[in-house]
Amino acid sequence: MTDESRSETTTIDRYGVMGYPVSHSRSPVIHRLFALQTGQNIQYELLQVSPEKLETAIRQFQRTGGKGLNITVPHKSEVTKLVDQTSERASTAGAVNTLSFKGGEIYGDNTDGIGLLRDLAVNLGVAIEDANILILGAGGATRGIVGPLLEMQPASIQIANRSLGKAAALADHFAHSGPVSACRFNAVPVSRPYDLIINATSAGVKGEAPPYPAAAISEISFCYDLSYGLQPTPFSVWARQVGAAQSVMGWGMLVEQAAESFNLWRGVRPETAPVLKQMKITA
Ligand code: ATR
């Protein structure tokens, strides 16, 4: 790097994604495409940070003038302890995926839920109001999406999990906000068909294939996997095989949550459709 280019880059607003591991993250590509599209001059870095170094790394990024960070697996819950102010949606989710550094303070937000809603409702035309929804899994990903989904007034949300305890705890947590109940995978009530089935387990990512409840899927079911890959995920393949109306991976949610973060940081909402296309994704 020449002295001239070095002095240029120091004036560029810096952002990044912190995770562990993080090398496979698509966020740098997505944010560079957003920046090109909107004419924003930003730098976006991949930052691999282990859990024990998270606080030091965030403080250092802040101290050296960084403007914002995306926080990804496994730090989304832990980082809530390090922020000075938290948005309501991040508090409800119990997780932060976006940090903004302003006036010496750290502001934590969560754009995952709105990212999923935008992909479902705007990009894919899935009606959530009055829908019967089944969510598979009861970890952090589920906790992040139940609140935003309930705001759209579905008829019901059933959380099914391998072990009942975590699903029951989440159903209790959200019981005051809407009709949420819990069960084990092998006890999913099928008296009414599910309009929307969301896979929020981490099974596929770990190469595991749990006994997903095939009886819950019917020809009206829209199946959505929060996971995504260049090859179809195990859940998306399974959903097609057992007769779902449609089976989609979470590429759109990834791009939409990024657009929401970009908007928080830069005050400009990028167009997501061309970015999804440019990533050569058949979502
Ligand atoms: P995340 O933040 O991605 O949700 P998490 O909090 O570790 O990650 O939760 C992972 C979820 O995937 C849990 O619901 C977990 O089920 P358990 O609560 O029974 O552990 C689910 N999960 C992971 N591997 C699974 C598998 N092989 N079969 C079924 N469920 C699995």
Side-chain angles (χ1 to χ4, degrees):
M1 195 189 274
T2 63
D3 283 349
E4 204 175 303
S5 65
R6 190 176 295 120
S7 68
E8 258 171 40
T9 53
T10 52
T11 62
I12 294 178
D13 287 347
R14 283 170 53 229
Y15 299 88
V17 55
M18 269 185 197
Y20 191 73
V22 81
S23 56
H24 299 299
S25 170
R26 314 293 165 113
S27 293
V29 176
I30 295 171
H31 282 280
R32 273 174 215 142
L33 290 171
F34 287 164
L36 268 177
Q37 185 203 107
T38 57
Q40 298 279 310
N41 194 17
I42 67 161
Q43 181 179 322
Y44 192 102
E45 305 159 23
L46 260 187
L47 302 158
Q48 172 140 316
V49 174
S50 61
E52 64 279 9
K53 296 199 176 127
L54 181 66
E55 177 165 7
T56 313
I58 290 175
R59 304 254 179 246
Q60 190 189 342
F61 192 84
Q62 179 185 27
R63 212 172 32 248
T64 55
K67 300 284 184 196
L69 283 173
N70 283 130
I71 301 294
T72 189
V73 177
H75 305 314
K76 288 187 194 183
S77 161
E78 198 56 30
V79 80
T80 58
K81 299 176 193 158
L82 305 176
V83 302
D84 300 301
Q85 285 185 61
T86 312
S87 70
E88 199 180 324
R89 58 192 182 184
S91 302
T92 309
V96 159
N97 80 334
T98 308
L99 299 179
S100 303
F101 302 103
K102 286 180 210 153
E105 296 226 307
I106 307 179
Y107 178 78
D109 204 342
N110 191 318
T111 64
D112 285 333
I114 186 72
L116 173 66
L117 287 189
R118 285 191 70 97
D119 194 34
L120 285 171
V122 180
N123 300 343
L124 299 164
V126 177
I128 298 168
E129 191 178 343
D130 293 331
N132 288 303
I133 301 175
L134 172 64
I135 302 177
L136 305 174
T142 300
R143 180 163 171 177
I145 62 173
V146 172
L149 285 169
L150 280 173
E151 280 176 25
M152 305 297 288
Q153 309 205 309
S156 67
I157 296 184
Q158 181 76 38
I159 302 174
N161 200 40
R162 173 171 61 179
S163 46
L164 183 59
K166 273 162 83 175
L170 271 189
D172 276 357
H173 181 77
F174 287 102
H176 66 283
S177 319
V180 189
S181 34
C183 63
R184 286 202 175 86
F185 277 166
N186 61 6
V188 174
V190 288
S191 51
R192 50 176 188 251
Y194 292 98
D195 304 288
L196 173 61
I197 300 175
I198 299 171
N199 177 37
T201 72
S202 54
V205 179
K206 298 189 292 183
E208 294 166 1
Y212 293 124
I217 306 238
S218 74
E219 69 286 351
I220 67 155
S221 305
F222 189 105
C223 289
Y224 192 98
D225 195 346
L226 297 189
S227 306
Y228 48 86
L230 289 177
Q231 301 302 321
T233 55
F235 173 81
S236 68
V237 172
W238 171 86
R240 247 180 250 285
Q241 280 169 353
V242 294
Q246 281 193 71
S247 178
V248 166
M249 293 190 283
W251 284 108
M253 174 180 174
L254 175 74
V255 174
E256 293 294 342
Q257 62 79 28
E260 194 70 18
S261 297
F262 192 91
N263 189 20
L264 283 173
W265 293 329
R266 309 301 298 178
V268 187
R269 190 161 220 297
E271 292 284 325
T272 49
V275 172
L276 257 171
K277 236 190 214 156
Q278 281 180 66
M279 293 177 79
K280 296 201 172 43
I281 289 156
T282 48

